[in-house]
């Protein structure tokens, strides 16, 4: 008598059979099975199912393999548990026979194992693929049922060891991911989108409308810089690689940009199965969002992304966090407080350099930091703290981003503060604003003819036109280099702040004789106090708060303060650690699946136990 498979909906043969999974992806479609293991007629499969491992439950074991046949260890292991899960997040298998396409007849023990398998499959998990133990490389994977959702797809930035991680195999097969949700358009949150697109990802990438606009600028520029740096390395033969290659190309970036799906704040969007994603204003840069992923029966995970400052001069502060069962919080400034802004002191530094005949070079992030500095410089000049002075913006990406901010002001975006929306003149023009669009205009700024202020990307001096300016201007003691905001350890910006006497770029060292000053008050990140205040506004305590996106001391310090001041269950996760997602706001119900082997779900599957 035919029976219907409760997982795939396909019809089994004349004797009871149980197929878990969509069928054989090698065959290209879902198949019907009879007791002899022969496939019947094709039926269509959802695209994501064709990309996933096929899982067959036989009478004695689970199988997971390219054709789904499975090899069968003794059934007692399944009946007794524990269940060990392999790297794929599913059950382990021995190599399947290339010529096998079927499954065996189910037995009562198999049906019992089937119920256990459904329970395993129903557990939603969160995996920390990046931004754990470091401040960049934001990537988090939620697996719920058959759905895989990636939150952020960021690039590692910093020293060579961190940057080499960008070349590692991606932690999961990009073709197995069903959707990507992006918090904002900084490279450490979107920088690997072109790579996964090149490796086969074709699903949607959800983000806010302004993030979609800025991502086009950022990823196009990133691909250009990587191709340019590779060509420069070939010409000057300073790379250890032969030939030097870019991480990805313009073609890869363009392919990833076709996947963007702009989504308004506050509107839940279906991202697969029962899951929805809702974006909430984060106030870090234009378009930045906190992302709430509702898994359905397993509750909601809230990702803070990068939280903005409550006193951001351009953007409204972050909205309060929505209710969530788990919160993933950033900790960039987890062990610091921002100094109070002192325009007079900042103007005095700049004036001193100008009066001694030097120029002021400000490496700054092209997005948001450039706009903040232009507004601040305009305020200083308007108040008479600075004389009228030429201000140059030298970064193609910064110029494109500046136009996005200007258009947002013209459109009266609700993300912007009223002071920006109601400004009588262009708030981003200090008076003598010059936009360096060509390479020739940029090269002339290496040795300016008169004292001036130069804003150039990248903000941590990791690449871009600012590196050429540094090579030319650092040896001159009349010049001033201002470093606004956070500098990741290992970057040129961090080395300069640490007092480096020489820096290396493009295979050569230059001495550091210019004055170097850091300005932490220009950071667009919330500091530790602001993060705690934001968390305290949550409607209820989450089951667990995970502290990420910070250097180890910053994350540990913030986690300690959350435990002490909010009395929440708070954890600093390891890279590639995986935890279960469970509904409920009782910290005693948080259930972690731990392992000695990062990336594996191993050990006994247990129900959350209430704290006595």
């Amino acid at each position: 008598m035919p029976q219907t498979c409760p997982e795939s909906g396909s019809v089994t043969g004349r004797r009871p059979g149980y197929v878990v999974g969509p069928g054989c992806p090698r065959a290209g479609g879902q198949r019907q099975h009879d007791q002899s293991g022969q496939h019947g007629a094709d039926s269509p499969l959802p695209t994501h199912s064709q990309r996933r491992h096929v899982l067959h439950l036989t009478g004695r074991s689970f199988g997971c393999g390219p054709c789904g046949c499975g090899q069968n260890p003794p059934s007692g292991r399944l009946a007794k548990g524990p269940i060990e899960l392999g790297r794929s997040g599913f059950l382990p298998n021995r190599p399947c026979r290339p010529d096998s396409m079927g499954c065996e007849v189910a037995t009562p023990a198999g049906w019992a194992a089937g119920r256990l398998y459904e329970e395993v499959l129903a557990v939603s998990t969160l995996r920390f693929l990046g931004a754990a133990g470091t401040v960049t490389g934001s990537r988090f994977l939620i697996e719920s049922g058959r759905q895989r959702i990636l939150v952020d797809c960021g690039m590692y930035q910093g020293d060579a060891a961190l940057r080499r991680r960008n070349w590692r195999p991606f932690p999961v097969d990009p073709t197995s991911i069903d959707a990507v949700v992006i918090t904002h358009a900084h490279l450490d949150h979107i920088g690997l989108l072109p790579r996964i697109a090149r490796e086969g990802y074709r699903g949607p990438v959800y983000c806010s409308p302004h993030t979609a606009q800025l991502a086009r600028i950022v990823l196009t520029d990133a691909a250009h810089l990587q191709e340019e740096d590779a060509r420069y390395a070939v010409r000057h033969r300073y790379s250890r690689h032969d030939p030097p290659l870019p991480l990805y190309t313009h073609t890869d970036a363009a392919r990833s940009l076709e996947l963007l799906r702009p989504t308004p704040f506050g509107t839940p969007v279906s991202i697969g199965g029962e899951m929805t994603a809702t974006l909430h204003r984060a106030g870090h840069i234009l378009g930045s969002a906190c992302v709430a992923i509702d898994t359905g029966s397993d509750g909601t995970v809230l990702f803070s992304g990068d939280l903005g400052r409550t006193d951001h001069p351009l953007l409204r502060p972050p909205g309060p966090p929505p209710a969530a069962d788990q919160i993933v919080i950033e900790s960039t400034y987890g062990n610091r407080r921002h100094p109070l802004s002192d325009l007079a002191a900042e103007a005095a530094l700049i004036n001193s350099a100008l009066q001694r005949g030097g120029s002021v070079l400000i490496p700054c992030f092209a997005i948001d930091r450039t706009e903040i500095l232009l507004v601040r410089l305009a305020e200083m000049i308007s108040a008479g703290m600075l004389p009228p002075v030429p201000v140059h913006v030298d970064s193609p990406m910064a110029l494109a981003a500046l136009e996005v901010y200007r258009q947002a002001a013209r459109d009266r975006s609700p993300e912007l503060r009223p002071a920006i929306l109601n400004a009588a003149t262009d708030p981003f023009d200090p008076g003598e604003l010059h936009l360096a669009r060509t390479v020739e205009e940029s090269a002339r700024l290496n040795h300016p003819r008169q004292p001036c202020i130069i804003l150039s990307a990248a903000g941590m001096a990791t690449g871009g036109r600012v590196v050429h300016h540094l090579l030319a201007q650092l040896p001159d003691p009349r010049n001033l280099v201002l470093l606004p905001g956070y500098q990741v350890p290992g970057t040129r910006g961090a080395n300069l702040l640490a007092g480096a006497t020489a820096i290396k770029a493009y295979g050569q060292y230059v001495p550091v004789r210019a004055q170097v000053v850091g300005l932490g008050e220009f950071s667009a990140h919330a500091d530790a106090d602001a993060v705690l205040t934001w968390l305290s506004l949550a409607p209820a305590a989450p089951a667990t708060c995970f502290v990420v996106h910070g250097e180890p001391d910053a994350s540990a310090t913030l986690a300690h303060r959350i435990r002490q001041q909010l009395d929440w269950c708070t954890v600093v996760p390891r890279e590639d650690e995986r935890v279960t997602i469970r509904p409920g706001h009782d910290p005693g119900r948080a259930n972690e699946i731990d392992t000695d082997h990062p990336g594996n779900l191993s050990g006994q599957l247990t129900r959350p136990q209430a704290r006595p």
Side-chain angles (χ1 to χ4, degrees):
M1 195 103 191
Q3 296 192 8
T4 300
C5 166
E7 177 67 22
S8 67
S10 62
V11 177
T12 62
R14 291 180 295 275
R15 296 173 60 186
Y18 188 21
V19 183
V20 176
C24 179
R26 190 174 69 184
Q30 185 166 288
R31 303 275 187 158
Q32 297 177 352
H33 295 68
D34 61 26
Q35 89 276 11
S36 65
Q38 300 299 311
H39 287 285
D42 289 341
S43 62
L45 269 179
T47 303
H48 73 83
S49 296
Q50 290 178 353
R51 297 198 302 262
R52 299 295 295 273
H53 283 125
V54 61
L55 303 178
H56 282 190
L57 173 62
T58 70
R60 294 189 295 279
S61 77
F62 298 110
C64 173
C67 73
C69 69
Q71 293 292 302
N72 303 315
S75 60
R77 180 172 174 223
L78 291 179
K80 296 176 183 177
I83 303 300
E84 292 187 358
L85 302 180
R87 274 198 176 275
S88 65
F90 297 115
L91 293 152
N93 63 289
R94 300 174 185 172
C96 59
R97 300 184 300 276
D99 59 344
S100 174
M101 300 288 284
C103 61
E104 299 183 10
V105 177
T107 65
W111 287 103
R115 290 193 294 273
L116 182 58
Y117 173 78
E118 289 179 330
E119 183 176 318
V120 171
L121 192 65
V123 174
S124 297
T125 63
L126 167 63
R127 184 174 167 191
F128 300 89
L129 301 182
T134 185
V135 79
T136 61
S138 180
R139 297 193 298 254
F140 309 101
L141 186 73
I142 290 180
E143 295 182 273
S144 184
R146 296 197 179 281
Q147 304 301 311
R148 272 184 167 173
I149 306 300
L150 186 67
V151 177
D152 280 346
C153 189
M155 178 184 290
Y156 283 103
Q157 297 173 296
D159 61 23
L162 280 173
R163 296 196 305 273
R164 279 194 290 270
R165 296 186 188 184
N166 296 320
W167 294 86
R168 291 178 182 174
F170 203 74
V172 296
D173 178 2
T175 65
S176 73
I177 299 169
D178 296 283
V180 178
V181 187
I182 295 300
T183 59
H184 65 285
H186 276 151
L187 269 179
D188 58 330
H189 293 259
I190 65 169
L192 291 188
L193 282 176
R195 179 182 164 183
I196 66 169
R198 183 187 65 214
E199 294 177 5
Y201 178 69
R202 294 294 182 269
V205 177
Y206 297 102
C207 60
S208 72
H210 281 134
T211 292
Q213 289 179 278
L214 293 172
R216 294 183 181 280
I217 298 167
V218 171
L219 294 178
T220 301
D221 186 79
H224 169 74
L225 288 177
Q226 289 179 63
E227 290 178 323
E228 190 176 74
D229 285 350
R231 288 191 294 267
Y232 194 90
V234 170
R235 289 197 303 270
H236 295 271
R237 299 185 179 182
Y238 66 82
S239 174
R240 290 177 294 177
H241 305 285
D242 186 19
L245 297 173
L247 183 61
Y248 49 77
T249 66
H250 264 99
T251 301
D252 302 325
R255 185 180 291 120
S256 69
L257 294 173
E258 294 173 357
L259 308 177
L260 296 179
R261 301 292 183 268
T263 303
F265 290 118
T267 302
V269 57
S270 175
I271 54 176
E274 294 183 308
M275 290 198 285
T276 62
T278 307
L279 308 183
H280 302 269
R281 196 167 36 80
H284 173 60
I285 65 172
L286 194 64
S288 60
C290 304
V291 173
I293 304 292
D294 186 346
T295 66
S297 58
D298 286 335
T300 299
V301 184
L302 176 64
F303 298 86
S304 71
D306 286 356
L307 280 181
R309 299 176 61 160
T310 56
D311 59 349
H312 193 297
L314 309 181
L315 302 178
R316 293 171 57 202
D325 301 285
Q326 322 281 338
I327 294 179
V328 180
I329 186 71
E330 71 129 322
S331 58
T332 308
Y333 282 83
N335 56 353
R336 280 171 288 176
R337 292 185 177 93
H338 292 313
L340 295 175
S341 180
D342 188 343
L343 284 184
E346 295 155 10
L349 272 173
I350 295 172
N351 257 326
S352 178
L354 298 175
Q355 289 171 3
R356 61 180 179 252
S359 291
V360 180
L361 176 60
I362 309 179
C364 56
F365 294 111
I367 296 175
D368 199 75
R369 193 68 50 78
T370 296
E371 288 75 20
I372 290 175
L373 287 164
L374 289 174
V375 169
R376 290 301 194 213
L377 290 170
E379 291 174 359
M380 294 178 192
I381 293 171
S382 176
M385 299 177 185
L386 286 180
V389 59
V391 176
H392 301 269
V393 176
D394 181 27
S395 160
M397 182 166 68
L399 298 181
L402 178 59
E403 182 53 35
V404 173
Y405 272 72
R406 282 174 161 167
Q407 187 60 50
R410 290 191 289 266
D411 293 340
R412 304 193 63 79
S413 168
E415 293 185 59
L416 295 174
R417 288 186 180 271
I420 300 299
L421 298 177
N422 299 328
T425 59
D426 182 357
F428 305 109
D429 188 351
E432 294 187 37
L433 181 63
H434 301 270
L435 308 179
R437 299 188 183 279
T438 67
V439 173
E440 292 74 21
E441 289 173 318
S442 174
R444 287 195 289 270
L445 292 175
N446 287 336
H447 303 282
R449 295 181 179 178
Q450 66 181 108
C452 62
I453 299 172
I454 303 168
L455 279 61
S456 186
M460 292 179 275
T462 52
R465 293 178 176 182
V466 74
V467 177
H468 296 279
H469 300 327
L470 285 169
L471 291 176
Q473 296 182 24
L474 280 173
D476 189 339
R478 296 175 300 169
N479 293 330
L480 168 65
V481 176
L482 287 179
L483 292 162
Y486 184 76
Q487 303 292 319
V488 171
T491 61
R492 292 189 188 93
N495 292 339
L496 285 169
L497 279 183
T501 57
I503 67 161
K504 184 180 181 182
Y506 302 125
Q508 60 179 306
Y509 281 97
V510 297
V512 178
R513 300 191 184 100
Q515 183 183 11
V516 178
V517 178
L519 295 175
E521 58 265 39
F522 282 102
S523 172
H525 284 268
D527 64 9
D529 290 347
V531 169
L532 279 161
T533 299
W534 185 78
L535 289 173
S536 71
L537 300 176
T544 314
C545 182
F546 299 100
V547 182
V548 299
H549 205 292
E551 298 305 320
D553 183 64
S555 296
T557 301
L558 182 63
H560 176 74
R561 290 189 63 185
I562 294 171
R563 285 191 289 266
Q564 292 294 311
Q565 297 181 33
L566 300 180
D567 194 27
W568 290 3
C569 176
T570 306
V571 175
V572 179
R574 302 183 303 276
E575 182 185 4
D576 218 13
E577 185 173 358
R578 193 189 315 227
V579 297
T580 57
I581 302 169
R582 290 294 189 184
H585 302 291
D586 177 6
R589 295 188 64 196
N591 180 39
E592 179 180 350
I593 298 179
D594 203 353
T595 175
D596 292 330
H597 304 284
N600 285 351
L601 268 169
S602 63
Q604 185 164 351
L605 217 71
T606 58
R607 292 288 189 186
Q609 300 296 316
R611 185 176 294 170

